[in-house]
Amino acid sequence: MTSAEKEKSSTGLCRPPLSPAAGPGRAMKVLLLVGLGALFFAYYWDDNFDPASLQGARVLLTGASVGVGEELAYHYARLGSHLVLTAHTEALLQKVVGNCRKLGAPKVFYIAADMASPEVPERVVQFALDKLGGLDYLVMNHLGAAPAGTRGRSAQATRWLMQALGSAPAPSGLRFLLRPVTRSRHLQMNFLSYVQLTSLALPSLTDSKGSLVVVSSLLGRVPTSFSSPYSAAKFALDSFFGSLRRELDVQDVNVAITMCVLGLQDRASAAEGVRGVTRAKAAPGPKAALAVIRGSATRASGVFYPWRFHLLCLLRGWMPQPRAWFIRQELNITTPAAA
């Protein structure tokens, strides 16, 4: 009697044979992971970025006073671009303008403006066209605050959002976005102003075969807890510019659209908004800004910084309903919260 037969007779059990598909299945998983790794490596390594392409480029940059917007301004200045910078606080803008001049920017202009006001986008775009004679890049980075940071519960935040919308009915068609109707300051700042700026700058960008650059967030691709107003605006941006990209392609309009999915930035206001809520680590502003510039200069459709965000966006399609325990890995919460 062989040893296998002895073992079988002594235990009274017969071990099930290994599935013939187990080996190939494991091999396919390994190949898939290797393929994804190669894809990410190729996507982020070989971007054909030519810094000289930005020398003399005419750039309108919003949200330029702090954070990644400030770092974008400094990168563009080093590369020799002509700049119009805008943000809400004039004193901070003046500081950034002075630094850009020291870094070698040939032309730097600024206009203090609050994008929460519906009439402001037209004034800003016209100012940029007057000063620069046209646009090659419209880089939209401004951001408005949600109520009480992300500590507010989603139901509370949603009620705040709906109350802020007002009761005025919206006219049909897209042109109502260019008119000062009653609307939420949050939506005006974080979504409608982006649409207005795009609509107003598009003729000049079409002439120059330029680029629209939208600085967004992972929360515009992957929803998370306690962020409903912010996520709603960011998802709206992603959907709007995704549709616009297709419309421009169909009409053979050579204007690139680069959506930039960034993480938490290392700035005081961002850190304060999520203090005690999330375990996410802030990304360095200069590196995130450089990723945005490289991606937009090469006319990439998307930029992800840190790079793992691209994988998270792909995983969302495979796991659209993550379990609560998985979500809590990024949140400092242990018990369900009442709305």
Side-chain angles (χ1 to χ4, degrees):
M1 181 181 293
T2 65
S3 59
E5 290 173 335
K6 289 179 181 179
E7 183 180 355
K8 176 180 176 181
S9 61
S10 63
T11 60
L13 298 174
C14 180
R15 293 178 181 176
L18 290 174
S19 169
R26 181 175 295 178
M28 286 298 293
K29 290 179 181 178
V30 172
L31 287 174
L32 178 61
L33 290 174
V34 171
L36 283 173
L39 176 65
F40 284 122
F41 182 82
Y43 183 84
Y44 287 99
W45 182 262
D46 187 20
D47 59 4
N48 298 316
F49 173 58
D50 179 14
S53 66
L54 289 170
Q55 187 170 2
R58 301 163 297 177
V59 181
L60 169 57
L61 170 61
T62 70
S65 61
V66 293
V68 71
E70 180 181 2
E71 298 299 336
L72 281 168
Y74 296 156
H75 281 306
Y76 279 121
R78 292 187 189 97
L79 293 166
S81 301
H82 303 297
L83 298 172
V84 167
L85 308 179
T86 183
H88 182 266
T89 307
E90 185 169 5
L92 294 176
L93 268 178
Q94 290 174 339
K95 181 201 74 171
V96 175
V97 167
N99 290 337
C100 286
R101 288 174 177 152
K102 293 176 184 176
L103 291 170
K107 295 180 182 178
V108 190
F109 306 96
Y110 77 91
I111 175 172
D114 181 6
M115 291 295 172
S117 299
E119 66 278 2
V120 162
E122 183 173 6
R123 181 161 57 89
V124 168
V125 171
Q126 190 58 53
F127 177 86
L129 294 176
D130 292 342
K131 294 297 184 181
L132 302 180
L135 289 174
D136 299 302
Y137 289 88
L138 170 59
V139 185
M140 293 172 283
N141 171 66
H142 56 280
L143 175 66
T150 54
R151 294 180 214 179
R153 300 301 182 218
S154 283
Q156 272 183 306
T158 302
R159 285 195 292 269
W160 166 84
L161 182 62
M162 295 304 296
Q163 289 168 359
L165 284 172
S167 57
S172 59
L174 282 177
R175 289 191 174 274
F176 84 92
L177 295 172
L178 300 176
R179 290 163 48 188
V181 298
T182 302
R183 67 191 84 181
S184 160
R185 282 180 59 86
H186 171 74
L187 287 181
Q188 169 62 32
M189 181 70 138
N190 293 329
F191 173 59
L192 298 179
S193 62
Y194 281 69
V195 179
Q196 291 176 280
L197 290 165
T198 298
S199 175
L200 293 161
L202 198 53
S204 179
L205 293 172
T206 301
D207 292 340
S208 65
K209 299 180 181 179
S211 295
L212 289 161
V213 186
V214 184
V215 179
S216 187
S217 164
L218 181 65
L219 297 187
R221 299 287 185 91
V222 180
T224 189
S225 307
F226 314 134
S227 64
S228 55
Y230 183 80
S231 287
K234 294 304 182 183
F235 266 87
L237 284 178
D238 192 68
S239 181
F240 173 79
F241 284 101
S243 297
L244 180 61
R245 181 186 289 117
R246 294 193 175 192
E247 292 174 12
L248 296 178
D249 287 343
V250 168
Q251 299 174 55
D252 291 324
V253 176
N254 190 9
V255 174
I257 298 178
T258 300
M259 294 295 299
C260 305
V261 179
L262 306 184
L264 180 65
Q265 299 304 304
D266 55 350
R267 49 183 285 196
S269 59
E272 178 62 27
V274 297
R275 181 180 297 172
V277 176
T278 180
R279 299 186 179 99
K281 299 293 181 62
K287 291 184 178 180
L290 184 58
V292 170
I293 286 180
R294 294 177 72 98
S296 58
T298 55
R299 303 175 78 84
S301 61
V303 170
F304 297 85
Y305 189 87
W307 69 268
R308 66 179 181 273
F309 281 5
H310 200 172
L311 182 58
L312 287 174
C313 292
L314 293 175
L315 286 175
R316 192 212 170 205
W318 303 337
M319 289 196 316
Q321 297 294 335
R323 298 291 297 272
W325 67 264
F326 182 79
I327 297 174
R328 288 195 181 100
Q329 302 309 304
E330 292 296 322
L331 299 173
N332 291 325
I333 57 174
T334 55
T335 57

